[in-house]
Amino acid sequence: MTPLIKTMLHMAAILPLIAVPPANGQTLEHKVDSLMAIYNKPNVPGASIAVFQNGKIRLAKSYGAANIEAKVPATSTTNYRLASVTKQFTAMCIIMLEQQGKLSYDDPIAKYFHDFPDIGQTITIRHLLWHTSGLVDYEDLLPPGLNTQLKDKDVLDLVSRQHGTYFTPGTQYRYSNTGYALLALIVERVSHLSFADFLEQRIFRPLNMSHTLAYENGVSTVANRAMGCKQADSGFVDADQSLTSAVLGDGGIYTSIDDYFKWDTALYSDKLVPRKSLEAMFTPGHLADGTPTNYGFGWRVEEKYGTLIAHHNGGTSGFNNAVRRAWPARTTVLVLTNRRGGPAREIADQLIQWLLTEQNDRDKP
């Protein structure tokens, strides 16, 4: 861990809980309304946006419809499919099991997948977390004519037939949904619980995230569910599910603004794991030759706007999301939307920059 990261992690732990007043003549709500104008229309797929600051929800607003067909408006309790924002939860499961001594980040994945090709002896759990495994993207392995949804175990089956990788494990960075599907399976094999049950018992229930879950069709039900859409010539049409929507480890969690706030708050504490174990989540990885990457465990981690930002996007069939977490400043922006495409990422980037500028202006003598 670099001295900068150590210093900023310490700052995040000791910063007092203080109110942050509006600055530059523009209120936060006016800023958010202007950024979210594309969603603030009748009969369009909706969005929920929140600012968490200093342990409180400073702002939470929703726009548009969570379900166009049923004309249900989006609210702070609407549950959106997180897509790749799920990866931070998958990573936490692994951190919890490592902290308990039930696995090591440097375990080869062949220890858990006994029929894996020989390459599994040189790919470690850490490689999966850091996206440095080189495993082939399962999306590129879908057989022609496939008309049923894949699950995590199907991802394992597909990649187990591959005897090569994109590169020697550990020598390059390449974002991998495959890796996080395999991490979910490792959680199952180590804990003897389904991935969805592990999340429920070890994370969601302890944090009182009562409506958050890893959705399994026919097994679970999403309360206050946002239905995914896409733009077509005729208007917005259903795009809620795709062939890969049932893979849980890389993108299957549904949550709301209200529930995610509980998760964000827990990441400043030792409620789930000791603080030292939590630091691994926000420490950028590196290649075998020491070259740093900008990805920790389930989060991209970069210095931006004069501070460290942990961030992630999540895009899938009918959802587009973004989270930006300036944890030394205890400031998080979360944007959840139930439409394919759209400016969720740009909105999150603009808003976190505005908030940090506001804070810097306030702190000036």
Side-chain angles (χ1 to χ4, degrees):
M1 185 183 303
T2 67
L4 177 61
I5 291 176
K6 284 183 178 180
T7 298
M8 291 193 168
L9 283 168
H10 178 68
M11 288 170 59
I14 65 173
L15 278 174
L17 302 182
I18 53 176
V20 182
N24 302 324
Q26 185 178 26
T27 68
L28 175 59
E29 186 166 5
H30 287 153
K31 177 65 176 178
V32 168
D33 284 343
S34 67
L35 290 173
M36 300 296 287
I38 188 175
Y39 302 102
N40 193 19
K41 299 176 182 179
N43 303 316
V44 300
S48 295
I49 185 170
V51 173
F52 311 140
Q53 212 160 34
N54 299 314
K56 298 180 180 179
I57 300 177
R58 183 178 171 194
L59 177 142
K61 295 197 72 173
S62 296
Y63 307 82
N67 186 325
I68 290 180
E69 184 175 348
K71 298 182 179 179
V72 176
T75 73
S76 64
T77 62
T78 296
N79 288 301
Y80 299 81
R81 184 172 178 233
L82 288 183
S84 286
V85 177
T86 293
K87 289 182 172 68
Q88 58 200 249
F89 293 92
T90 304
M92 177 59 83
C93 295
I94 295 292
I95 292 170
M96 296 174 89
L97 291 170
E98 191 276 340
Q99 193 272 326
Q100 293 177 340
K102 294 184 176 181
L103 58 76
S104 167
Y105 299 139
D106 296 315
D107 284 343
I109 64 172
K111 179 176 178 179
Y112 305 97
F113 308 125
H114 301 308
D115 296 328
F116 210 85
D118 290 345
I119 192 67
Q121 297 289 348
T122 60
I123 297 172
T124 67
I125 290 176
R126 194 186 302 272
H127 289 144
L128 300 183
L129 288 162
W130 281 350
H131 298 290
T132 57
S133 71
L135 285 170
V136 177
D137 291 333
Y138 74 83
E139 297 95 328
D140 295 336
L141 301 175
L142 303 185
L146 181 69
N147 58 12
T148 57
Q149 288 186 317
L150 270 73
K151 298 185 178 180
D152 301 74
K153 61 183 178 60
D154 300 313
V155 173
L156 175 61
D157 182 59
L158 287 172
V159 298
S160 292
R161 301 175 196 170
Q162 309 299 308
H163 291 273
T165 53
Y166 291 124
F167 47 81
T168 301
T171 62
Q172 296 182 44
Y173 169 90
R174 178 172 173 141
Y175 188 83
S176 174
N177 286 318
T178 299
Y180 273 73
L182 297 189
L183 287 170
L185 294 175
I186 290 172
V187 171
E188 293 187 340
R189 297 189 179 196
V190 173
S191 69
H192 306 294
L193 293 169
S194 73
F195 182 60
D197 284 347
F198 187 93
L199 286 163
E200 167 62 21
Q201 294 180 26
R202 300 294 304 279
I203 297 178
F204 302 151
R205 192 181 302 164
L207 298 183
N208 196 29
M209 298 172 69
S210 55
H211 296 298
T212 300
L213 53 80
Y215 172 63
E216 299 170 283
N217 187 32
V219 177
S220 52
T221 301
V222 181
N224 305 320
R225 179 176 175 177
M227 303 303 294
C229 298
K230 67 178 180 180
Q231 179 77 63
D233 291 341
S234 59
F236 287 103
V237 298
D238 175 74
D240 189 71
Q241 295 285 299
S242 70
L243 290 175
T244 62
S245 292
V247 179
L248 300 183
D250 67 345
I253 290 176
Y254 279 75
T255 197
S256 66
I257 290 290
D258 286 355
D259 266 10
Y260 192 93
F261 170 68
K262 300 168 187 176
W263 164 253
D264 183 74
T265 301
L267 295 182
Y268 291 110
S269 74
D270 58 2
K271 188 165 187 176
L272 294 176
V273 294
R275 195 174 301 277
K276 186 171 180 61
S277 296
L278 188 60
E279 289 175 3
M281 181 173 274
F282 302 111
T283 301
H286 57 80
L287 305 181
D289 64 2
T291 302
T293 69
N294 69 348
Y295 204 96
F297 289 0
W299 290 89
R300 301 184 189 278
V301 183
E302 299 177 90
E303 186 175 359
K304 300 176 71 174
Y305 320 126
T307 189
L308 280 174
I309 303 285
H311 61 98
H312 218 291
N313 301 320
T316 186
S317 178
F319 297 88
N320 192 28
N321 313 307
V323 59
R324 305 290 183 264
R325 190 171 192 269
W327 78 91
R330 295 185 68 109
T331 298
T332 297
V333 171
L334 178 65
V335 182
L336 303 177
T337 80
N338 58 314
R339 70 170 67 176
R340 180 183 298 177
R345 303 174 184 188
E346 292 79 8
I347 289 169
D349 285 334
Q350 289 184 51
L351 187 54
I352 193 70
Q353 186 174 14
W354 187 88
L355 288 162
L356 293 172
T357 300
E358 175 195 65
Q359 189 171 54
N360 287 337
D361 290 344
R362 175 185 57 80
D363 290 342
K364 288 179 181 177

